């Protein structure tokens, strides 16, 4: 019989706790927070039966929960060609050429964004053939809704005859075919990529990732493999996986069958069930044409009948449903489905199902009011705005003045919409403090939210969105011991003046302290613990 581990007393730091905004210490007993309080009281808890950790001024916060991730794709990206720093078409082609010269016969890359290139165009299949010197090349765009492929890869798959092909640039069916061909993985390969992604997440302070699995992204075995490696009995402790499966299901029997699958662990039939595409690939469905492509309004991937049938079946079963929605016309489609469901079952049944929508980047006041009416929550990605909402950036190129009404986090929260934050990794990196920071520096100043609101949206709200206990995502006596320890430059309270993003050390606010995010160094994760089990520890941090 294994011996029960000693309680752990963290002291001489700061603890973000609603139980005590001035807490400097925390006692963890097994998988539970047993106590939080001051340094004076902590002195009475030391002894031979307690392991003491000197925080040396570090901050303990609840662990982060990413509300929207793709674990296998994140693992693949960690080992692929990172093209996020390419500032021109020629830089991308040079990166491909360098990989080819190093002997790569298949070149996988991610993260490019032609909207910031002087050429303002994507590479052709022939250009990738020359740069890759015959290698099979698949480079996915930053939004993961399109890619460019070499002629060698396209010829082998017959992509030129598939919907969505345009001289090496692939969307829709052509992109799905290319992605599936480059993701033909063994179970061991999937497991290796997934474990790498989860370990990386743990090193960034995440205790859980919300996996947005879908049959058009990867086969069922991908999610089944992922759910086999994150369990409590696995020899390597990893962040928890909160799984969704985005399969269109028009019948109650189909809903029941799917929910019984995957070991009965599904949080819902939601996630990347695409109502439309993305702004960057011009596949998000818009009410009015794209500013830089007047002949296009994007595309709806589902019909009104399909959306309504899925919502009706899931609502009747009390199962959380949801869709990937980017454009305003895509959101209109889903709202019509919710209205039809409410007409048949009553609005209270719709609210009880707690449906969720991913992204919701373009929503007007009337649409936000409808989300509140139907009790629908939003999973948002603030770094989208930080990357593409800048002056002259992608959003403005694609939408013109409409770009000022995107990613309306403040409007969602003030109206009463539950908002949880995520990265959509590997679209943007697993970096929780970058998401919080992006909320403070929104490209539309009126949509800024406070650091505290953003932090809660990235912790407690993400647990709540998936239907987990309201005790999750906070540190107080009796709550689960799921937290991260951070080395920070300064701890402060954000001032209430929304005209500026300033900080104060004034303790009279009685608000738990957060890292100042305008300092030289970003918070550095020293340790991550979930349900009392250590997932990660930085070199030299209180190693046992």
């Amino acid at each position: 019989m294994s011996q029960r581990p000693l309680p752990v007393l963290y002291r001489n730091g700061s603890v973000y706790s609603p139980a005590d905004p001035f807490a400097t210490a925390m006692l963890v007993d097994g998988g539970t927070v047993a106590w939080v309080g001051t340094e004076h009281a902590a002195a009475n808890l030391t002894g031979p039966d307690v392991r003491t950790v000197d925080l040396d001024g570090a901050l303990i916060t609840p662990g982060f929960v990413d509300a929207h991730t793709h674990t296998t794709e994140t693992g693949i990206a960690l080992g692929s060609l990172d093209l996020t720093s390419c500032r021109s078409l020629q830089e991308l082609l040079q990166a491909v050429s360098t990989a080819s010269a190093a002997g790569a016969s298949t070149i996988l890359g991610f993260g490019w964004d032609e909207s910031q290139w002087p050429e303002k165009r994507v590479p052709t299949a022939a250009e990738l053939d020359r740069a890759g010197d015959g290698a099979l090349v698949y480079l996915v765009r930053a939004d993961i809704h399109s890619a460019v492929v070499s002629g060698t890869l396209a010829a082998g798959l017959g992509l030129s005859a598939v919907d969505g092909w345009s001289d090496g640039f692939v969307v829709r069916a052509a992109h799905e075919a290319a992605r599936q061909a480059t993701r033909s993985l063994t179970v061991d390969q999937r497991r290796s990529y997934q474990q790498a992604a989860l370990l990386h997440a743990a090193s960034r302070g995440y205790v859980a990732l919300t996996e947005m699995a879908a049959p058009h992204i990867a086969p069922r075995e991908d999610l089944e493999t992922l759910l086999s490696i994150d369990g409590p009995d696995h020899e390597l402790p990893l962040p928890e996986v909160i799984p969704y499966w985005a399969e269109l299901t028009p019948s109650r029997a189909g809903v029941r069958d799917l929910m019984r699958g995957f070991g009965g662990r599904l949080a819902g039939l939601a996630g990347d069930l695409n109502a439309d595409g993305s702004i960057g690939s011009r596949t998000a469905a818009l009410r009015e044409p794209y500013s830089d492509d007047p002949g296009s309004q994007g595309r709806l991937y589902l019909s009104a009948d399909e959306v309504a049938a899925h919502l009706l079946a899931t609502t009747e079963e009390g199962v959380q449903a949801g869709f990937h929605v980017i454009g305003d016309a895509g959101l209109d489609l889903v709202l019509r489905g919710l209205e039809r469901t409410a007409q048949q079952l009553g609005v209270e049944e719709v609210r009880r199902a707690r449906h969720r929508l991913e992204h919701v980047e373009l929503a007007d006041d009337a649409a936000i009011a409808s989300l509140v009416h139907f009790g629908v929550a939003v999973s948002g990605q603030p770094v989208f705005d930080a990357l593409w909402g800048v002056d002259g950036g992608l959003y403005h190129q694609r939408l013109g003045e409409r770009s000022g009404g995107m990613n309306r986090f403040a409007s969602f929260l003030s109206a009463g919409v539950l908002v949880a934050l995520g990265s959509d990794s590997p679209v943007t990196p697993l970096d929780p403090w970058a998401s919080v920071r992006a909320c403070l520096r929104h490209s539309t100043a009126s949509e800024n939210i406070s650091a505290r609101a953003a932090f809660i949206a990235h912790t407690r709200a993400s647990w709540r969105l998936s239907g987990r206990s309201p005790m999750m995502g906070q540190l107080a006596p009796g709550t689960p011991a799921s937290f991260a320890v951070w080395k920070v430059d300064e701890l402060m309270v954000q001032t209430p003046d929304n005209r500026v993003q300033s900080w104060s050390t004034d303790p009279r606010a009685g608000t738990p302290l957060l890292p100042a995010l305008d300092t030289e160094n970003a918070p550095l994760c020293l340790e991550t613990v979930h349900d009392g089990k250590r997932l990660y520890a930085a070199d030299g941090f209180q190693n046992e």
Side-chain angles (χ1 to χ4, degrees), residues 134-368:
L136 302 177
V137 181
Y138 170 84
L139 310 177
V140 67
R141 196 182 184 283
D143 56 17
I144 311 188
H145 282 260
S146 59
V148 289
V149 300
S150 61
T152 52
L153 178 61
L157 298 175
L159 293 182
S160 62
V162 179
D163 173 55
W165 164 265
S166 179
D167 193 16
F169 180 66
V170 290
V171 295
R172 301 188 300 274
H175 182 216
E176 186 172 341
R179 178 170 54 200
Q180 289 179 350
T182 58
R183 300 300 190 264
S184 180
L185 306 171
T186 67
V187 170
D188 286 342
Q189 287 172 324
R190 292 185 189 281
R191 184 177 292 111
S192 178
Y193 284 129
Q194 291 165 352
Q195 183 170 292
L198 290 170
L199 289 172
H200 177 71
S203 74
R204 299 299 188 268
Y206 292 96
V207 295
L209 301 182
T210 307
E211 170 64 20
M212 293 302 174
H216 65 274
I217 296 175
R220 283 183 63 124
E221 71 173 7
D222 187 78
L223 182 55
E224 290 168 345
T225 301
L226 178 59
L227 296 179
S228 73
I229 68 172
D230 83 318
D233 297 326
H234 193 269
E235 60 184 24
L236 181 65
L238 296 167
E240 182 176 342
V241 173
I242 303 170
Y244 285 85
W245 182 247
E247 182 172 341
L248 199 64
T249 314
S251 71
R252 295 183 65 177
V255 171
R256 289 193 294 269
D257 286 344
L258 285 176
M259 292 301 292
R260 282 195 291 261
F262 304 102
R265 285 187 55 184
L266 288 183
L269 300 178
D272 277 339
L273 184 49
N274 291 354
D276 65 349
S278 73
I279 298 292
S281 297
R282 298 189 188 88
T283 51
L286 305 180
R287 296 172 182 167
E288 302 294 334
Y290 282 88
S291 297
D292 58 357
D293 187 4
S296 173
Q297 290 178 236
R299 177 166 175 168
L300 292 171
Y301 290 179
L302 299 173
S303 70
D305 287 342
E306 287 174 324
V307 169
H310 184 74
L311 285 169
L312 183 63
T314 50
T315 302
E316 285 183 309
E317 288 296 313
V319 170
Q320 188 181 42
F323 301 87
H324 160 114
V325 178
I326 296 284
D328 46 12
L331 183 54
D332 289 342
L333 175 74
V334 173
L335 292 175
R336 287 195 297 272
L338 287 162
E339 181 62 40
R340 286 172 60 177
T341 303
Q343 288 173 353
Q344 293 191 53
L345 302 179
V347 70
E348 289 302 325
E349 287 299 307
V350 174
R351 292 170 180 165
R352 192 171 293 116
R354 304 177 302 100
H355 298 312
R356 61 182 289 164
L357 296 180
E358 310 305 308
H359 316 310
V360 196
E361 290 204 77
L362 201 55
D364 60 20
D365 289 346
I368 292 174

Side-chain angles (χ1 to χ4, degrees), residues 320-460:
Q320 188 181 42
F323 301 87
H324 160 114
V325 178
I326 296 284
D328 46 12
L331 183 54
D332 289 342
L333 175 74
V334 173
L335 292 175
R336 287 195 297 272
L338 287 162
E339 181 62 40
R340 286 172 60 177
T341 303
Q343 288 173 353
Q344 293 191 53
L345 302 179
V347 70
E348 289 302 325
E349 287 299 307
V350 174
R351 292 170 180 165
R352 192 171 293 116
R354 304 177 302 100
H355 298 312
R356 61 182 289 164
L357 296 180
E358 310 305 308
H359 316 310
V360 196
E361 290 204 77
L362 201 55
D364 60 20
D365 289 346
I368 292 174
S370 292
L371 294 176
V372 175
H373 176 68
F374 294 120
V376 175
V378 168
S379 161
Q381 290 69 46
V383 178
F384 286 8
D385 179 76
L387 290 175
W388 303 312
V390 296
D391 288 344
L394 171 69
Y395 289 159
H396 189 265
Q397 293 176 35
R398 297 287 192 268
L399 301 178
E401 294 304 316
R402 288 171 292 174
S403 63
M406 295 190 67
N407 297 297
R408 300 180 63 191
F409 302 124
S411 295
F412 286 141
L413 289 172
S414 63
V417 176
L418 173 65
V419 175
L421 301 183
S423 63
D424 200 7
S425 178
V427 175
T428 68
L430 286 168
D431 184 348
W433 293 112
S435 293
V436 173
R437 186 186 303 110
C439 289
L440 312 179
R441 304 173 181 174
H442 200 287
S443 59
T444 301
S446 60
E447 295 298 337
N448 286 338
I449 62 175
S450 71
R452 181 172 180 269
F455 179 76
I456 291 173
H458 217 344
T459 51
R460 291 179 62 185

Side-chain angles (χ1 to χ4, degrees), residues 81 95-108 124-139 148-156 182:
L81 200 60
V96 172
S97 180
T98 300
S100 174
S105 59
T106 299
I107 300 172
L108 304 180
T124 65
E127 287 173 327
L128 290 175
D129 281 335
R130 289 193 292 272
D133 194 21
L136 302 177
V137 181
Y138 170 84
L139 310 177
V148 289
V149 300
S150 61
T152 52
L153 178 61
T182 58

